Amino acid sequence: MTSEIEQLQASTLDALQHLQDAAAVDALEINILGRKGKLAALLSRIPTLPPAERAGIGTLASEVKQTLQLAFNGARGKFSGTNDHSHFDPTWPGVAPSIGHLHPVTAFVERSVQFFTTLGYAVADGPEVETAAYNFDKLNIPANHPARDLWDTYYLNPERDGILMRTHTSPVQLRYMETHKPPAYVVVPGRVFRHEATDASHDTNFSMLEGLAIDRDLHITDLIGTLKAFLQHTFGPVKMRIRPSYFPFVEPGIEVDMSCLICHGKGCSVCKQTGWLEMLGAGMVHPVVLKNMKVDPKKYSGFAFGIGVERMVMLLHGIPEVRLLLSGDQRFLEQFHY
Ligand code: DAH
């Protein structure tokens, strides 16, 4: 019976090709699909079939009926000179236009900035091409300082005349304080550039989120509390480790590590087998830097921090390779819809 139904479909489609007007189409339709048509006649034999075959025949018959119905409608449309839209289904879902989405780094920066603005911080930015005076000198990194060695890099001309791609966002601390008076609370998101060999957790071009707070009676506990609130806002209840560290523009300086969320402390290539990831540097603003900001260190104190954004994004999403973030590879980026 299957072949009879298939044959009916084939012969009907063939006959449709040779019809000359809409009336002929109507007549053929009644002959085939009508209540007393050929398809109905075939189907009336279903009850005589073995039960196992019945369902398959029913499905085939309804597919054939649908195909023929579309063919009849189409043929009628051809003769009437207008397209027959009776098979147009307005409830069918449309084709979604492909609109872009935020890069995971951008999304992270936006979310973090929003966290700090709810704490009352302002947002500022500064130039990516910076002078050595702002990138180093005013931050208490004199010309002969070893910290400068590490960063003395990407000068814009071979004479190293003091114009360079900034190595951190800390220079904006000074630029901001040129136009603001304490109390001042500001965060600075931005791109920084370093001449280093790349590996799974280092790139030559990455993002930082700098923070600066200057007020009366600010203490290191305010700094630690702020950073803890930020990390817990971002990652939930995380393990945090604070180590004394050294940055010329803060005293004391600290580094904040977080347990590696990728290997859960076991050791992997991202955390260099230590189980901890260096997340950010911070400290109490050095009195020399306060003076360079024209802020009186006897009246005011301040704290500052610099967050490495890519590391945070890697931990947040379990990305084992920082260089993917700047690769522009759609197969990677499509996984992060914001
Ligand atoms: N600028 C430092 C860096 O790029 C990070 C940093 C450390 C920023 C301590 C700060 C700070 O504001 O207080 O590694």
Side-chain angles (χ1 to χ4, degrees), residues 128-132 135-136 153-156 162-166:
E128 290 179 352
V129 175
E130 194 44 285
T131 64
N135 198 76
F136 299 123
T153 179
Y154 286 144
Y155 281 87
L156 291 202
I163 310 283
L164 69 158
M165 303 303 292
R166 67 179 174 194

Side-chain angles (χ1 to χ4, degrees), residues 174-248:
L174 286 129
R175 292 187 175 276
Y176 185 78
M177 291 311 291
E178 283 174 355
T179 51
H180 294 81
K181 287 196 181 330
Y185 291 81
V186 64
V187 283
V188 182
R191 199 61 79 87
V192 305
F193 307 86
R194 293 186 193 178
H195 186 204
E196 31 186 349
T198 65
D199 63 25
S201 54
H202 294 85
D203 209 343
T204 55
N205 175 339
F206 57 99
S207 306
M208 297 199 79
L209 182 63
E210 187 85 16
L212 174 71
I214 303 217
D215 208 340
R216 288 177 198 272
D217 294 325
L218 281 183
H219 302 285
I220 198 160
T221 45
D222 298 306
L223 169 60
I224 292 171
T226 303
L227 294 176
K228 195 166 181 183
F230 170 72
L231 288 177
Q232 297 199 337
H233 165 80
T234 306
F235 295 101
V238 283
K239 273 205 238 169
M240 178 165 134
R241 177 170 88 165
I242 290 176
R243 288 177 288 117
S245 186
Y246 176 70
F247 301 94

Side-chain angles (χ1 to χ4, degrees), residues 151 167-168 170 173 194 208 210-211 247 249-250 281-283 304-306:
W151 286 346
T167 59
H168 53 170
S170 304
Q173 293 186 24
R194 293 186 193 178
M208 297 199 79
E210 187 85 16
F247 301 94
F249 34 93
V250 285
F305 53 87

Side-chain angles (χ1 to χ4, degrees), residues 261-284:
L261 299 181
I262 290 174
C263 65
H264 305 288
K266 287 197 201 85
C268 66
S269 68
V270 173
C271 63
K272 294 219 175 83
Q273 314 303 332
T274 63
W276 292 93
L277 264 187
E278 192 186 301
M279 300 305 290
L280 57 104
M284 302 305 290

Side-chain angles (χ1 to χ4, degrees), residues 11-338:
S11 63
T12 307
L13 290 175
D14 187 53
L16 260 176
Q17 300 291 318
H18 303 103
L19 298 181
Q20 304 297 333
D21 55 36
V25 176
D26 289 344
L28 183 62
E29 184 177 3
I30 290 168
N31 186 293
I32 305 295
L33 298 184
R35 243 179 345 117
K36 297 185 177 156
K38 290 190 174 155
L39 186 61
L42 280 175
L43 295 185
S44 69
R45 282 166 36 205
I46 286 182
T48 69
L49 294 175
E53 281 174 37
R54 289 181 197 166
I57 296 289
T59 312
L60 175 67
S62 70
E63 278 167 14
V64 165
K65 188 169 178 190
Q66 223 175 7
T67 306
L68 292 179
Q69 191 68 65
L70 282 176
F72 283 121
N73 291 345
R76 238 189 317 272
K78 198 169 73 189
F79 293 124
S80 65
T82 59
N83 282 325
D84 182 347
H85 293 298
S86 58
H87 60 281
F88 173 72
D89 179 356
T91 65
W92 193 254
V95 179
S98 166
I99 55 170
H101 58 86
L102 294 181
H103 190 283
V105 167
T106 312
F108 184 90
V109 168
E110 287 196 357
R111 236 177 324 149
S112 305
V113 164
Q114 201 180 11
F115 169 81
F116 283 106
T117 55
T118 58
L119 290 189
Y121 281 67
V123 188
D125 66 4
E128 290 179 352
V129 175
E130 194 44 285
T131 64
Y134 282 95
N135 198 76
F136 299 123
D137 301 270
K138 289 169 191 276
L139 284 165
N140 199 28
I141 312 176
N144 59 359
H145 197 284
R148 196 147 159 167
D149 243 10
L150 205 64
W151 286 346
D152 227 358
T153 179
Y154 286 144
Y155 281 87
L156 291 202
N157 77 39
E159 279 81 51
R160 303 187 145 226
D161 63 354
I163 310 283
L164 69 158
M165 303 303 292
R166 67 179 174 194
T167 59
H168 53 170
T169 40
S170 304
V172 189
Q173 293 186 24
L174 286 129
R175 292 187 175 276
Y176 185 78
M177 291 311 291
E178 283 174 355
T179 51
H180 294 81
K181 287 196 181 330
Y185 291 81
V186 64
V187 283
V188 182
R191 199 61 79 87
V192 305
F193 307 86
R194 293 186 193 178
H195 186 204
E196 31 186 349
T198 65
D199 63 25
S201 54
H202 294 85
D203 209 343
T204 55
N205 175 339
F206 57 99
S207 306
M208 297 199 79
L209 182 63
E210 187 85 16
L212 174 71
I214 303 217
D215 208 340
R216 288 177 198 272
D217 294 325
L218 281 183
H219 302 285
I220 198 160
T221 45
D222 298 306
L223 169 60
I224 292 171
T226 303
L227 294 176
K228 195 166 181 183
F230 170 72
L231 288 177
Q232 297 199 337
H233 165 80
T234 306
F235 295 101
V238 283
K239 273 205 238 169
M240 178 165 134
R241 177 170 88 165
I242 290 176
R243 288 177 288 117
S245 186
Y246 176 70
F247 301 94
F249 34 93
V250 285
E251 178 59 36
I254 61 171
E255 251 171 272
V256 177
D257 298 346
M258 249 181 51
S259 47
C260 182
L261 299 181
I262 290 174
C263 65
H264 305 288
K266 287 197 201 85
C268 66
S269 68
V270 173
C271 63
K272 294 219 175 83
Q273 314 303 332
T274 63
W276 292 93
L277 264 187
E278 192 186 301
M279 300 305 290
L280 57 104
M284 302 305 290
V285 181
H286 196 290
V288 167
V289 176
L290 285 175
K291 279 186 199 145
N292 291 343
M293 291 168 172
K294 306 223 166 9
V295 171
D296 183 353
K298 294 202 185 71
K299 278 201 203 144
Y300 293 100
S301 53
F303 62 76
F305 53 87
I307 297 169
V309 171
E310 278 76 2
R311 281 172 190 227
M312 298 260 172
V313 174
M314 287 166 74
L315 277 175
L316 196 60
H317 297 299
I319 301 167
E321 167 59 76
V322 67
R323 289 166 292 193
L324 283 169
L325 287 168
L326 272 189
S327 67
D329 189 331
Q330 293 286 326
R331 292 166 303 175
F332 169 71
L333 292 174
E334 282 305 306
Q335 302 172 61
F336 307 97
H337 280 268
Y338 291 96

